[in-house]
């Protein structure tokens, strides 16, 4: 069933858990997430990030994601992750996405507010939900990250409150120490930052990006502090990558590609199930 984020996040706010947002960078990752959610009977968010365009383009992934969501037994929101500008957001809306993220975190506060407001009014008129970001996060997608001071990136609670009030967003991505991609060192997470932002923004669902690669305890603390959506991808993809070495070692000759893809999907599905259970507290 294809839905937007509203109901699933409202329910998460009411019951105090988090919904997973899983990226589709390949058909296998989309299938892994759908199968995991159906086996656990849990709603989830299937998302496509422009950073993954070189692996599977939005034009190709979008219609497949929407079709999979419509046919699914569980509620699935099809969401654009980290939309960098109005053109890509408009493209996702034309494709039938039920939710979009505008990432104006690198802009000035005023420009981020103005562009997010424009996108919120456009999306809401189509019953599409909107996530935006305030504060910024370091990236280590390709191992290129330099030394940084985690505290410099934390979202300021008063800015988050002002941003939420001015933009009418449905979910707000905040920065409290997580990093996209692979963690080189243990992240310095501030659960206090989440708690303060929650106090200043009320029931607005808060989103954790860079959500893979953390401990179960970290997830639980982040959720009890107020996180209601967790974006998860890199460590699922690492599990899928490792499964390829395993299957090649088991059968070094005569391996068929579809067996590799099926095995990797299964391994990624198990990784997704593991975290879905933690996020939903089941
Ligand atoms: P990871 O790189 O930690 O999986 O984060 C994914 C994400 O935040 C997508 O927006």
């Amino acid at each position: 069933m294809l839905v937007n984020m509203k109901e699933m996040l409202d329910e998460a706010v009411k019951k105090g858990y988090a919904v997973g947002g899983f990226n589709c960078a390949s058909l296998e990752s989309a299938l892994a997430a759908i199968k995991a959610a159906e086996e656990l009977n849990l709603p989830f968010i299937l998302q496509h990030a422009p950073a993954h365009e070189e692996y599977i383009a939005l034009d190709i992934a979008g219609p497949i994601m929407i079709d999979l969501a419509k046919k699914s037994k569980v509620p699935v929101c099809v969401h654009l992750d980290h939309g960098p500008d109005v053109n890509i957001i408009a493209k996702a809306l034309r494709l039938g996405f039920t939710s979009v993220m505008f990432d104006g975190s690198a802009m000035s506060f005023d420009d981020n507010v103005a562009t997010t407001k424009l996108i919120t009014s456009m999306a809401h008129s189509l019953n599409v939900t909107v996530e935006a970001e305030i504060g910024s996060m370091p990236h280590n997608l390709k191992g290129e990250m330099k030394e940084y001071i985690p505290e410099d990136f934390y979202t300021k609670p008063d800015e988050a409150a002002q941003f939420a009030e001015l933009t009418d967003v449905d979910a707000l991505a905040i920065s409290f120490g997580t990093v996209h991609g692979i963690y080189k060192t243990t992240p310095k997470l501030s659960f206090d930052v989440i708690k303060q932002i929650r106090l200043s923004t009320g029931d607005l669902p808060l989103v954790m990006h860079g959500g893979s690669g953390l401990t179960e305890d970290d997830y639980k603390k982040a959720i009890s502090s107020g996180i209601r959506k967790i974006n998860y991808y890199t460590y699922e993809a690492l599990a899928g990558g490792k499964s390829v070495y395993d299957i090649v070692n088991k059968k070094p000759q005569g391996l068929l590609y579809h067996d590799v893809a099926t095995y990797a999907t299964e391994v990624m599905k198990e990784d997704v199930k593991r975290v879905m259970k933690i996020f939903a507290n089941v």
Side-chain angles (χ1 to χ4, degrees):
M1 190 196 330
L2 176 66
V3 298
N4 67 24
M5 285 199 300
K6 177 112 184 78
E7 253 172 56
M8 61 175 84
L9 290 183
D10 280 354
E11 196 66 10
V13 168
K14 219 189 295 165
K15 300 199 173 139
Y17 62 82
V19 178
F22 297 90
N23 287 86
C24 165
S26 62
L27 179 61
E28 288 79 9
S29 52
L31 292 176
I34 293 262
K35 286 180 183 188
E38 289 189 336
E39 284 178 23
L40 296 171
N41 198 25
L42 289 172
F44 82 105
I45 297 156
L46 181 62
Q47 47 193 34
H48 184 268
H52 292 148
E53 198 69 12
E54 59 181 305
Y55 312 121
I56 187 165
L58 179 60
D59 282 339
I60 296 170
I64 296 172
M65 291 161 72
I66 288 163
D67 196 46
L68 286 171
K70 281 184 179 161
K71 288 179 182 146
S72 175
K73 289 184 277 190
V74 294
V76 182
C77 167
V78 176
H79 176 78
L80 179 77
D81 190 25
H82 291 288
D85 56 50
V86 180
N87 290 341
I88 296 181
I89 304 263
K91 189 170 176 179
L93 295 177
R94 279 197 300 276
L95 282 165
F97 277 48
T98 51
S99 192
V100 290
M101 176 192 186
F102 170 63
D103 182 355
S105 59
M107 290 175 155
S108 70
F109 181 83
D110 289 346
D111 287 349
N112 192 1
V113 166
T115 316
T116 304
K117 258 170 99 166
L118 180 79
I119 287 162
T120 323
S121 63
M122 182 165 79
H124 283 174
S125 70
L126 299 166
N127 197 27
V128 167
T129 42
V130 178
E131 175 184 336
E133 180 165 334
I134 186 82
S136 64
M137 272 181 56
H139 285 252
N140 191 28
L141 296 178
K142 291 182 178 159
E144 73 280 24
M145 197 165 68
K146 304 209 171 60
E147 290 283 311
Y148 69 99
I149 302 167
E151 288 82 352
D152 288 351
F153 288 86
Y154 291 168
T155 302
K156 295 180 182 62
D158 53 332
E159 269 191 14
Q162 212 189 339
F163 185 84
E165 203 181 310
L166 291 169
T167 56
D168 197 23
V169 287
D170 304 286
L172 186 62
I174 57 166
S175 182
F176 59 95
T178 55
V179 175
H180 285 112
I182 297 170
Y183 287 102
K184 281 183 170 172
T185 53
T186 308
K188 192 168 172 203
L189 306 181
S190 170
F191 302 107
D192 266 351
V193 167
I194 308 175
K195 286 179 195 155
Q196 284 168 28
I197 296 171
R198 190 185 177 190
L199 276 178
S200 70
T201 56
D203 278 345
L204 179 66
L206 302 178
V207 184
M208 176 203 287
H209 280 248
S212 72
L214 303 181
T215 65
E216 181 166 347
D217 193 47
D218 286 337
Y219 291 128
K220 288 187 170 159
K221 284 189 182 137
I223 293 167
S224 71
S225 304
I227 289 293
R228 297 290 170 255
K229 173 178 182 256
I230 300 181
N231 283 11
Y232 187 98
Y233 179 67
T234 301
Y235 283 70
E236 168 196 339
L238 279 175
K242 182 180 175 304
S243 77
V244 176
Y245 294 110
D246 295 344
I247 195 169
V248 169
N249 280 333
K250 267 193 227 155
K251 197 176 177 195
Q253 296 293 324
L255 200 53
L256 298 173
Y257 175 69
H258 54 238
D259 288 329
V260 179
T262 305
Y263 186 62
T265 306
E266 194 58 25
V267 169
M268 290 195 287
K269 181 195 79 182
E270 288 306 318
D271 187 57
V272 172
K273 275 175 79 174
R274 177 184 67 82
V275 293
M276 272 185 173
K277 285 195 246 176
I278 300 172
F279 300 168
N281 197 19
V282 291

